[in-house]
Amino acid sequence: MQARITHRFFKRHLGQLLLALTGIAAGIAVVTGVALLRGALLESLDAAGSVLVGEQTISVRSETGRVSVRQYADLAVKPGAPDWIPVLRLPVQVNGQRFEIVAVDPLVAGAATSPMLGPGSSLASTIDMNGPASLVIANRTLNALGLDADDELVVEHQGQVVELPIAAVVEGDRSMDRRLLMDITQAQALFGSRGELSELWTASVSSDWLDEHLPPDLVWQTSAERRDSAASLTAGMRANLTAMSLLALATGMFVVYSVLNFLIVQRRHDFGMLRALGLPPSGLLKLLLSESLLLAAFGGLIGLVIGTWLADQLLALVAQPVGELYGQLPLVESAPSPGLYTAIWLLGLGAAILVSVPLVREAYRVPPGRLVRSQPPRGWTLVQALGFGLFPMLAGGLLLLLSSGLTAALAGLFLILSGMVMMMPAAGFGLLAWLGHLMPRSLWGRSLVLLQSSRSRIAPALAALTLALALAMGMAMMILGFRVALDDWVGRLLQADVYISVDRTEQAVTPAVQLDDQTIGRIAAQDGVAAWSSIRQRRLADGRRIAAYDLPEQAWPGFEWIDGTPDRGQFEAGLAVFVTEPFARNQDVAPDGVIEIPTPQGQKQLRVAAVYRDYSSDQGVIAMNGVQYRDWFDDPIRDSVGVYLQPDQPLTAWLDDLSEKVFARQLSWITPAEVRQQSLDVFDRTFRISWALALLVGLIALIALTSALLALGLERAREYATLRALGLSPQGLMQLIMVQTGGLTLLALTLAVPMALLMDIMLSSSIQPRAFGWSVPLDWPPLAPLVWTVPLAVLAGLLAGVYPALRIVRSPLIRNLRAD
Amino acid sequence: MTALAFRSVTRQYSAGSSQVHVLDQLELDVAEGQRIAIMGASGSGKSTLLHLAAGMDLPDEGRIEVFGTAVSELDEPERTRFRASRMGLVFQDYNLIDSLTAFENIELALWLTDQAVSKSEVVALAGELGIEPVLDRRPGQLSGGEQQRVAIARALIHKPNLILADEPTGSLDQDTANDVLHVLQQSLQDRQCAMVMVTHSDAAAAICDQIQVLDHGRLVPAA
Amino acid sequence: MRRDVILMVCIASLCLVWLGLQFEPEGPGPVESLSGTSLLASAPEMFKRVTRPEPLRFPADHAMHPGYRNEWWYFTGNLNGPEGARLGYQFTLFRFALERTEVSSQTDDPPSDFTAAAIWMAHLALSDGRTQQFFQHERFAREALGLAGASEQRWWLRDWAVRATERGWHLKAGTDDFGLDLQLQPGKPIVLQGEAGYSQKGPQAGNASRYYSLTRIETSGQVRIGDALLQVNGQSWLDREWGSSQLSDDLDGWDWFALQLDDGRDLMLYRLRQSDGTASPFSAGVLVETDGRYRVLTANDFELTPNRYWTDAQGIAWPLDWSLQLPLADLKLEVHAVFDQQRWDRSVQYWEGMVDVKSSGAPVGRGYLELSGYADTGEQAANTLAIERR
């Protein structure tokens, strides 16, 4: 019987059913999408080696980034040496997506059969070392590219485009995602990267052997350690994504609430009748709960499907920045698990139960027989709301102040936002009443005043819309503010006129030129050079990075000091170093603190003189004097040299001179403007995901608004019909409803602005430093997000109102006049 | 001049496969200032007649004139405008707007007809109907009788020539109903305003000049 | 109502099925396509061929011979350990030339550090008669960056190496599990197989290899099993062979015997098995006298009959006991595997192990037996034939 009541109702209200399902599915979809995306980032295991070689893979890398082929050859013939697999990794572009060529020696790698390639097949038998260069690709990657095994892949590496046939398609596992396996000989010959290897792999070797034979500049890691460090790289990004998805879930729950609410409104009469006929309250509870659960269960399934699809779309957005920022390749598609699906699905059911509670309470209040018209709950007064809202806000603020962790900061942000959301309806309707009284006689004023009676219906939608708008604007402000900060930083940092480094592509075919004192001397001896600076970067075994600088007078304004005293004399004397903000935060070092670094000459202690702003690495960098560095590390090479020209020296002429006279085609250069552009491009790609999520949250909020307006229309049907009967024309009614919708959106916007500002401040000053180690200087928030969010939101709000408005205007006037 | 005239008005509904003639070639004449009560069994088409008169429904055949204007031949906006300016509606369930005060509910009729609101006029009318003390209350805070008086005030404030009342005392107890009927009769008389009232109540019908019974789609004078 | 319930159940099922399809498959599926490696296929035109006898010079011919498709340095030996321990070993370096264009025109500046004219494979095995354990290890390297090669003085693949000493060679190779450190001193002069080292193995020109052997090498040194070091001595055998496409297409495999008799004579025999199961007329051998003089044997001179088959875990039957008749030397011998499990299961599947030689039940010598082509099917068989010798 109960099922029949439910069935009849939904059958008559198919539109509402679909809306309810859409709301639930949308919320679940976003949560699923982000959860899967997180997983894909987490599993972006740089573990091709462990699959090719085995779970116990040990990887050897150089602290300077590259292992020389000579070192490999020496290690390989050492007594007791394991089977070293030389690996060359080359970042490439395929179809505009970031891929990686993993070039190995199939002979060594293929000695053992590899699970990656399928049972019983070895790499040696898969790659044709005799034939022309070709690739081994995993099935999933090939499918993701939309190619067949017969197709050729167009692979671009540093501007060089090569078409490569596919030697074999293997089942592979996820570590083969976006990776192309290749013979190292063919890869070197094609892409001209002789002399250097990315790393060496081996299946098993004792740590004693490594300690005895590994040259000091090579470090080793087990695959488990590598996975851990890979996971920690993206920790900040993942935490931010999680926060976003939780906010999306919160917005989604508002939708579920509105939708269920809407269903109850429509059936208040039925419920009264059922109660009058003797249905006990528990029966009503059962009816409502089972309907909520059924909707959540069904909508949740659809949400899981959409979310899985969504995750892959989001993944396409993040693949590039993750690769650029962290040198990692995410999976080609998300990797869902039954556990994850079940968890999210149950989360949906839980949310449905949670939001049903207040609705069931309301349904209980419907008296049997419904002889007296019940008033919907009035909601909190402004004072009450302030009281209730202040509590979580204070708790959140305390959490932010007392704890330094990222999770705590996100929780604090969440609490503060919840507090604000709790105040939202009271504040909003207060504002509405005030506005209504400002223009009491006009259609506008009337329309807004009329909204007051539907307060309890509209409040959740208003809160959802406000939250979503605040989220979108706050994120946008943070991103744009950060972009400005980054732009400023790059602009300030790059004081030289041009930066010169060795052309790696040319190096392949010509004897290597190195940026040592001699080369720099020749560059500096060119006419028109006023000064030069240089930088050499080195990664220490523990992951810290050193940047060794030679800095002329002109370069010093490039630093923006955050803390401490930048004592130039001490720095140049090798007595002190500077560290970046993320370094200071990650390593918990303050000015006058002492850090230790391992050098070939033993452990060296260095005093930290000052902390400077830097966005180049969220791991942090130690800046030390170049002379000191070369002395300790016996490394005369520089990665790049900055040239400061004399004021009257035109750059292009100088560069022509350099290339013609000094090092024909062996050096490459880049101007500060180009660096700046590249940095901003990377930045923009990095934050595409945030835009996408903000958009999704906005969409969900729109669904919430539409359903709330529909509920409003249904509940107020009699009121609207009365107005029509009293002489309000259909157009007038339409106008009235649109004013209400637009007014609600504007109201949400008005409330969202302070919330967005607060979010911007919290994200910039609290979340960013904790997630990435760097802060963004507080400045006037960029107003661009407001400028285009306001019209966009109003337009969207109006659109969301059109359907409910049309429904109301077209609904039968006479029937609606009667009490329901 | 005739306030309201039905000429051979037929209104039918389809119920399943058969057609039900709710009104069948119905004729009705209401003179200016005349009050007519329409009685009849439930489902006899009383409300339909009222909705047709108000221009909220259209006849299948025949012609309806209000003060010489063929309402049934106007388009929707024109009908709405006509209804707003010339007629006042009173409902069984009062149909007041919850979020507006009594005063604002009354004022609504003026606003809908684009008339300037004179506060003194509203107050005067409210005084006439005995609801002046409750003007700043909302419908939820009023008794049924007070609510219906507010509704009557709303129907009269813009000086219509024709009141259409649908069971105005249907939701009220006998004493309250008598009070309300009394003020209604008084107000109509003062304004020389015609009324068509649909009711089951003999007491309500008693305030009218004439009583007609709707039976099988046609009006017959009450016995 | 039923219709709607069915519709919902259908949609829900569709969703569930779709979601189910998203999960990772359990373990890797079948490989879609694999190219047979041309590396191991028969030799293209670009390679030199052995077509007639040519004089061999030593030690120059101990070094590798670029230009030929394949070449090997093949040690086997029977060793005595402490307390009568019976041990056997195999150490082989294979060189397979790659058919790159660079092979013929090796420039000073190859396009890659790893550009190689050849790839090398090393097989190291140890048979422990006490425990009947068979240790095997395989490794590969490119002929680049000094990873592998063979000069007059040194034959090596990474740290596995054979170095020339004053009297012979020093062989050193090992893994975590086992290792060899052996001094080798030839006890007899070099034996040139076939016609002065020209060993014809098929009817066509080029179905031949250059082939010489050292059939008795005094051996002493250390064998390591796990952490245990065993002092050993005994006799080793070296086979050296190079050529291109020495085998004809219709061969299934071969059975190769290297026997050192207690009376001082050494006997090598190989039987090339044709597809129909019979011995090829190009089967051959050599009988080396105590003083080092030797006599080349042809297919008609000897008869080999398998007596016992051992079936391995894969169900492949290997003939491990044989009867051998060599009428012209009046030899009737039985050859028995010392134990069964001496089978290679790495890139190439074959049986290579120590054997006892008996005459009328009495022990008269020891040796090594190699069985090839039994585990192969189809394409792999052809490859193996090409890679393996004899």
Side-chain angles (χ1 to χ4, degrees):
Chain A
M1 186 65 215
Q2 185 188 312
R4 199 161 304 147
I5 292 171
T6 304
H7 175 246
R8 286 281 155 71
F9 174 77
F10 283 126
K11 187 136 182 115
R12 261 195 301 133
H13 301 90
L14 202 62
Q16 280 90 318
L17 176 68
L18 290 179
L19 192 70
L21 289 176
T22 310
I24 292 162
I28 293 291
V30 172
V31 175
T32 312
V34 173
L36 287 175
L37 179 66
R38 281 189 77 232
L41 288 179
L42 190 62
E43 283 190 37
S44 80
L45 25 84
D46 189 15
S50 68
V51 179
L52 203 57
V53 182
E55 201 41 46
Q56 302 305 313
T57 313
I58 283 167
S59 150
V60 167
R61 297 185 187 205
S62 162
E63 288 181 332
T64 52
R66 294 263 148 169
V67 179
S68 78
V69 167
R70 202 58 259 162
Q71 282 175 318
Y72 158 68
D74 289 347
L75 274 178
V77 299
K78 286 239 155 70
D83 290 329
W84 289 110
I85 301 178
V87 184
L88 182 65
R89 293 171 176 276
L90 298 168
V92 293
Q93 296 273 335
V94 179
N95 272 12
Q97 297 179 44
R98 194 186 162 95
F99 274 60
E100 184 182 58
I101 285 184
V102 179
V104 296
D105 186 349
L107 261 188
V108 195
T113 58
S114 148
M116 182 182 71
L117 300 171
S121 54
S122 67
L123 197 58
S125 62
T126 305
I127 292 184
D128 181 3
M129 294 192 300
N130 276 319
S134 56
L135 298 166
V136 173
I137 188 170
N139 217 344
R140 283 152 23 94
T141 305
L142 190 68
N143 288 343
L145 283 171
L147 294 177
D148 290 328
D150 305 334
D151 292 334
E152 298 212 324
L153 256 68
V154 182
V155 174
E156 185 193 336
H157 172 72
Q158 294 185 345
Q160 186 187 353
V161 180
V162 185
E163 282 187 27
L164 290 171
I166 295 166
V169 180
V170 296
E171 196 60 41
D173 83 342
R174 297 201 173 266
S175 65
M176 273 287 279
D177 276 7
R178 295 180 203 274
R179 295 201 162 87
L180 308 168
L181 223 50
M182 207 177 163
D183 175 16
I184 195 166
T185 317
Q186 295 170 344
Q188 271 199 341
L190 267 180
F191 299 109
S193 34
R194 282 193 59 188
E196 290 184 320
L197 300 170
S198 306
E199 58 191 303
L200 306 177
W201 291 340
T202 191
S204 68
V205 61
S206 71
S207 52
D208 288 346
W209 192 94
L210 290 169
D211 292 343
E212 188 182 339
H213 295 288
L214 224 53
D217 62 322
L218 297 188
V219 291
W220 61 276
Q221 255 186 328
T222 64
S223 45
E225 287 166 343
R226 290 183 66 186
R227 245 194 304 260
D228 286 350
S229 60
S232 73
L233 277 179
T234 51
M237 193 172 197
R238 279 181 287 116
N240 280 347
L241 281 175
T242 309
M244 287 294 291
S245 93
L246 284 177
L247 287 171
L249 177 67
T251 320
M253 281 182 49
F254 280 117
V255 181
V256 178
Y257 177 83
S258 312
V259 168
L260 291 177
N261 185 348
F262 168 61
L263 298 177
I264 286 179
V265 168
Q266 285 201 301
R267 290 196 288 170
R268 199 191 280 136
H269 179 72
D270 291 358
F271 291 156
M273 281 306 141
L274 286 171
R275 293 274 287 109
L277 291 173
L279 182 76
S282 64
L284 196 58
L285 177 76
K286 216 175 111 196
L287 179 77
L288 283 173
L289 269 188
S290 49
E291 281 178 7
S292 298
L293 286 178
L294 193 70
L295 277 175
F298 193 64
L301 274 184
I302 297 172
L304 287 178
V305 171
I306 300 172
T308 307
W309 173 83
L310 187 67
D312 291 338
Q313 310 309 307
L314 293 177
L315 200 53
L317 282 182
V318 290
Q320 188 90 359
V322 167
E324 280 162 349
L325 292 178
Y326 305 110
Q328 305 211 335
L329 294 179
L331 305 179
V332 71
E333 58 182 29
S334 53
S337 68
L340 184 74
Y341 277 151
T342 313
I344 295 176
W345 190 70
L346 289 177
L347 188 70
L349 294 193
I353 293 175
L354 199 68
V355 298
S356 298
V357 171
L359 297 174
V360 170
R361 274 182 52 209
E362 190 190 330
Y364 267 32
R365 277 207 295 266
V366 176
R370 216 194 157 289
L371 298 174
V372 182
R373 229 145 55 80
S374 76
Q375 284 289 325
R378 291 291 302 167
W380 293 331
T381 65
L382 191 57
V383 178
Q384 274 175 319
L386 281 176
F388 282 117
L390 272 178
F391 182 69
M393 282 183 76
L394 279 176
L398 274 178
L399 205 55
L400 272 174
L401 280 178
L402 296 180
S403 151
S404 58
L406 176 61
T407 318
L410 289 172
L413 175 67
F414 209 75
L415 278 173
I416 290 177
L417 288 181
S418 323
M420 295 189 82
V421 166
M422 288 168 97
M423 296 183 185
M424 215 50 71
F429 282 97
L431 198 65
L432 212 57
W434 181 70
L435 275 177
H437 286 299
L438 271 191
M439 30 188 182
R441 306 279 180 268
S442 68
L443 172 77
W444 291 68
R446 296 274 174 204
S447 313
L448 296 183
V449 168
L450 284 177
L451 273 179
Q452 293 283 356
S453 55
S454 304
R455 181 170 163 168
S456 70
R457 301 284 163 241
I458 302 170
L462 182 68
L465 193 63
T466 309
L467 183 64
L469 286 172
L471 215 57
M473 287 193 293
M475 291 277 309
M477 284 176 178
M478 184 276 283
I479 295 170
L480 291 183
F482 188 17
R483 196 177 189 275
V484 170
L486 181 88
D487 197 1
D488 286 350
W489 170 74
V490 175
R492 176 199 282 264
L493 182 72
L494 304 173
Q495 297 278 332
D497 294 300
V498 67
Y499 291 86
I500 296 173
S501 56
V502 172
D503 190 334
R504 290 206 178 267
T505 47
E506 288 300 326
Q507 200 183 14
V509 282
T510 49
V513 117
Q514 289 190 313
L515 271 183
D516 51 15
D517 284 327
Q518 192 194 350
T519 311
I520 294 171
R522 290 172 69 185
I523 296 170
Q526 284 278 102
D527 284 342
V529 175
W532 57 270
S533 63
S534 84
I535 183 174
R536 173 66 162 172
Q537 299 222 40
R538 184 186 195 94
R539 228 188 73 155
L540 296 176
D542 55 16
R544 290 181 296 169
R545 273 162 53 173
I546 289 180
Y549 285 105
D550 294 301
L551 296 171
E553 180 70 41
Q554 291 92 324
W556 283 85
F559 289 98
E560 184 185 347
W561 306 106
I562 290 179
D563 195 8
T565 329
D567 189 328
R568 224 180 120 181
Q570 290 234 318
F571 179 82
E572 283 172 351
L575 295 172
V577 294
F578 308 134
V579 298
T580 66
E581 192 188 8
F583 184 94
R585 207 178 288 271
N586 288 341
Q587 309 278 331
D588 201 15
V589 194
D592 287 327
V594 173
I595 51 172
E596 268 198 4
I597 54 170
T599 75
Q601 301 183 15
Q603 290 284 327
K604 297 284 182 187
Q605 293 201 328
L606 286 164
R607 192 178 71 83
V608 175
V611 178
Y612 65 99
R613 192 179 295 292
D614 179 86
Y615 296 122
S616 65
S617 149
D618 56 11
Q619 307 297 300
V621 178
I622 306 167
M624 69 181 290
N625 184 15
V627 178
Q628 176 87 81
Y629 167 82
R630 287 188 288 278
D631 180 27
W632 283 352
F633 288 88
D634 190 25
D635 175 17
I637 311 300
R638 325 291 160 86
D639 296 320
S640 108
V641 168
V643 175
Y644 300 75
L645 295 178
Q646 279 156 4
D648 54 348
Q649 176 64 53
L651 178 62
T652 40
W654 188 84
L655 286 173
D656 288 347
D657 230 27
L658 181 79
S659 58
E660 275 169 31
K661 289 186 192 156
V662 188
F663 303 105
R665 305 180 62 228
Q666 290 178 21
L667 297 175
S668 67
W669 50 78
I670 187 162
T671 63
E674 289 164 336
V675 177
R676 185 174 153 255
Q677 195 49 50
Q678 286 178 9
S679 311
L680 292 179
D681 287 350
V682 170
F683 180 91
D684 291 340
R685 280 197 289 275
T686 307
F687 280 99
R688 277 193 305 207
I689 181 86
S690 306
W691 296 123
L693 280 178
L695 194 70
L696 281 173
V697 172
L699 277 177
I700 296 183
L702 275 186
I703 295 174
L705 184 67
T706 310
S707 64
L709 289 172
L710 276 174
L712 179 73
L714 285 165
E715 190 179 62
R716 299 288 119 186
R718 182 153 165 271
E719 217 168 79
Y720 290 134
T722 305
L723 286 173
R724 284 275 291 110
L726 292 179
L728 187 65
S729 65
Q731 288 86 344
L733 185 58
M734 185 85 190
Q735 212 181 332
L736 180 127
I737 295 168
M738 296 310 278
V739 167
Q740 290 183 336
T741 319
L744 274 180
T745 316
L746 271 175
L747 187 64
L749 271 171
T750 315
L751 295 170
V753 169
M755 221 167 143
L757 288 173
L758 193 72
M759 264 192 76
D760 173 36
I761 293 170
M762 284 195 294
L763 285 173
S764 302
S765 65
S766 194
I767 306 291
Q768 283 257 15
R770 294 175 201 221
F772 303 110
W774 53 59
S775 61
V776 179
L778 278 182
D779 203 346
W780 277 105
L783 294 177
L786 295 184
V787 172
W788 41 256
T789 306
V790 170
L792 208 68
V794 171
L795 188 71
L798 289 177
L799 283 177
V802 167
Y803 172 66
L806 281 177
R807 259 185 75 100
I808 292 163
V809 169
R810 284 179 188 164
S811 64
L813 195 165
I814 295 163
R815 195 172 69 211
N816 288 340
L817 274 175
R818 296 285 174 87
D820 53 10
Chain B
M1 192 181 203
T2 319
L4 172 68
F6 276 51
R7 299 277 170 265
S8 306
V9 169
T10 297
R11 185 76 177 93
Q12 58 195 19
Y13 295 104
S14 37
S17 54
S18 62
Q19 296 282 313
V20 178
H21 283 70
V22 180
L23 304 180
D24 188 9
Q25 303 283 323
L26 183 133
E27 296 283 333
L28 173 67
D29 279 283
V30 181
E32 265 184 281
Q34 186 186 19
R35 296 190 294 277
I36 289 187
I38 300 192
M39 302 186 74
S42 290
S44 57
K46 304 188 295 290
S47 294
T48 303
L49 187 148
L50 214 58
H51 293 146
L52 286 167
M56 295 192 288
D57 194 3
L58 291 175
D60 295 308
E61 285 168 34
R63 181 182 163 90
I64 299 165
E65 287 177 15
V66 179
F67 296 103
T69 305
V71 176
S72 49
E73 280 155 30
L74 298 176
D75 64 10
E76 168 74 48
E78 284 169 339
R79 267 182 284 144
T80 304
R81 220 172 300 132
F82 188 78
R83 176 167 71 242
S85 55
R86 305 299 293 270
M87 302 182 209
L89 270 64
V90 180
F91 306 92
Q92 176 179 356
D93 287 314
Y94 335 126
N95 287 30
L96 298 179
I97 308 293
D98 288 335
S99 49
L100 302 181
T101 62
F103 181 90
E104 288 166 335
N105 264 290
I106 300 168
E107 189 190 27
L108 197 61
L110 292 173
W111 170 58
L112 288 171
T113 49
D114 295 326
Q115 294 182 40
V117 175
S118 148
K119 194 177 175 195
S120 57
E121 237 175 280
V122 175
V123 173
L125 179 58
E128 195 181 316
L129 293 166
I131 46 170
E132 198 190 340
V134 297
L135 272 182
D136 56 348
R137 297 201 193 154
R138 287 176 201 278
Q141 299 160 306
L142 299 176
S143 71
E146 286 167 333
Q147 289 195 52
Q148 194 58 298
R149 286 170 201 230
V150 173
I152 292 168
R154 183 178 64 186
L156 292 172
I157 186 71
H158 59 295
K159 304 182 181 69
N161 308 104
L162 174 64
I163 296 290
L164 300 171
D166 190 356
E167 299 269 18
T169 56
S171 299
L172 301 174
D173 61 66
Q174 195 59 56
D175 289 347
T176 316
N178 287 339
D179 288 348
V180 168
L181 286 170
H182 179 73
V183 293
L184 179 61
Q185 183 184 24
Q186 206 61 51
S187 306
L188 292 174
Q189 258 168 3
D190 295 351
R191 289 172 174 71
Q192 276 301 298
C193 184
M195 174 169 79
V196 175
M197 181 204 285
V198 161
T199 183
H200 281 111
S201 155
D202 292 332
I207 68 163
C208 295
D209 309 325
Q210 193 184 3
I211 300 175
Q212 301 225 23
V213 176
L214 188 61
D215 186 27
H216 289 93
R218 301 200 177 197
L219 285 170
V220 288
Chain C
M1 177 162 169
R2 174 170 297 162
R3 207 192 55 204
D4 293 330
V5 170
I6 290 173
L7 183 70
M8 270 187 65
V9 168
C10 280
I11 295 175
S13 314
L14 268 178
C15 287
L16 280 172
V17 167
W18 189 87
L19 291 171
L21 288 176
Q22 303 304 306
F23 304 140
E24 275 281 82
E26 303 282 324
V31 176
E32 201 172 89
S33 75
L34 284 177
S35 73
T37 138
S38 57
L39 165 71
L40 304 174
S42 60
E45 289 301 308
M46 61 192 297
F47 293 106
K48 288 194 232 170
R49 277 162 171 74
V50 176
T51 50
R52 61 173 185 281
E54 271 171 23
L56 294 176
R57 289 178 199 85
F58 298 99
D61 278 314
H62 288 330
M64 64 185 188
H65 296 83
Y68 292 96
R69 178 63 154 179
N70 49 53
E71 180 163 8
W72 51 80
W73 294 254
Y74 214 116
F75 284 101
T76 52
N78 278 278
L79 303 172
N80 303 305
E83 293 158 23
R86 180 82 195 271
L87 299 160
Y89 81 92
Q90 173 202 351
F91 176 74
T92 316
L93 288 169
F94 298 95
R95 179 185 190 270
F96 305 110
L98 294 171
E99 47 190 284
R100 286 184 192 281
T101 45
E102 298 95 275
V103 171
S104 44
S105 59
Q106 275 246 302
T107 59
D108 293 337
D109 189 25
S112 161
D113 300 313
F114 295 87
T115 303
I119 59 171
W120 289 66
M121 176 171 80
H123 277 187
L124 176 65
L126 182 70
S127 301
D128 184 345
R130 301 168 302 174
T131 57
Q132 304 212 336
Q133 269 184 293
F134 182 68
F135 300 92
Q136 54 181 322
H137 200 89
E138 173 182 76
R139 51 165 64 165
F140 293 87
R142 290 169 193 260
E143 193 177 287
L145 299 166
L147 296 174
S151 64
E152 290 174 17
Q153 297 301 313
R154 184 165 72 113
W155 316 329
W156 80 98
L157 195 159
R158 306 219 316 260
D159 61 326
W160 293 0
V162 178
R163 284 164 209 278
T165 59
E166 236 170 78
R167 291 158 152 197
W169 294 281
H170 174 212
L171 189 169
K172 195 159 189 246
T175 72
D176 289 347
D177 299 331
F178 69 105
L180 305 176
D181 187 346
L182 302 174
Q183 295 294 334
L184 306 164
Q185 189 178 340
K188 287 183 189 176
I190 289 170
V191 171
L192 301 180
Q193 305 272 16
E195 193 181 345
Y198 170 70
S199 166
Q200 192 164 2
K201 293 187 166 68
Q204 286 174 349
N207 286 156
S209 65
R210 210 65 71 193
Y211 186 5
Y212 69 84
S213 306
L214 282 153
T215 59
R216 196 166 281 238
I217 306 172
E218 296 302 327
T219 305
S220 65
Q222 286 180 325
V223 164
R224 181 174 51 81
I225 298 176
D227 291 330
L229 284 178
L230 308 175
Q231 296 295 327
V232 295
N233 60 63
Q235 308 281 338
S236 297
W237 181 300
L238 170 66
D239 263 3
R240 284 275 292 115
E241 195 162 350
W242 63 94
S244 307
S245 70
Q246 51 263 60
L247 296 179
S248 60
D249 294 339
D250 59 346
L251 294 181
D252 259 4
W254 56 86
D255 312 309
W256 173 85
F257 297 77
L259 310 177
Q260 292 155 331
L261 303 182
D262 294 343
D263 63 10
R265 286 186 292 174
D266 304 316
L267 177 62
M268 187 282 285
L269 295 172
Y270 60 81
R271 193 178 77 134
L272 299 173
R273 293 197 314 281
Q274 302 183 117
S275 317
D276 58 7
T278 60
S280 154
F282 293 98
S283 302
V286 72
L287 180 65
V288 185
E289 298 298 333
T290 313
D291 58 6
R293 286 179 296 121
Y294 55 92
R295 174 175 182 173
V296 172
L297 307 171
T298 62
N300 294 329
D301 293 337
F302 60 91
E303 195 175 321
L304 285 164
T305 317
N307 291 334
R308 179 178 75 87
Y309 283 86
W310 165 67
T311 307
D312 65 17
Q314 279 82 55
I316 298 162
W318 305 84
L320 297 189
D321 289 356
W322 293 77
S323 295
L324 186 166
Q325 290 196 342
L326 185 62
L328 59 86
D330 198 20
L331 278 174
K332 276 191 173 181
L333 303 173
E334 298 105 48
V335 175
H336 302 278
V338 175
F339 61 94
D340 294 347
Q341 180 50 276
Q342 303 184 70
R343 172 205 195 293
W344 274 89
D345 58 6
R346 301 294 152 95
S347 302
V348 186
Q349 313 258 313
Y350 62 113
W351 195 99
E352 176 99 35
M354 51 182 184
V355 291
D356 284 321
V357 186
K358 291 180 179 170
S359 180
S360 310
V364 295
R366 292 173 173 182
Y368 250 76
L369 168 63
E370 176 175 295
L371 304 170
S372 160
Y374 289 93
D376 303 333
T377 50
E379 192 178 6
Q380 202 192 344
N383 292 342
T384 315
L385 279 173
I387 186 176
E388 286 283 334
R389 56 171 181 164
R390 299 164 213 154

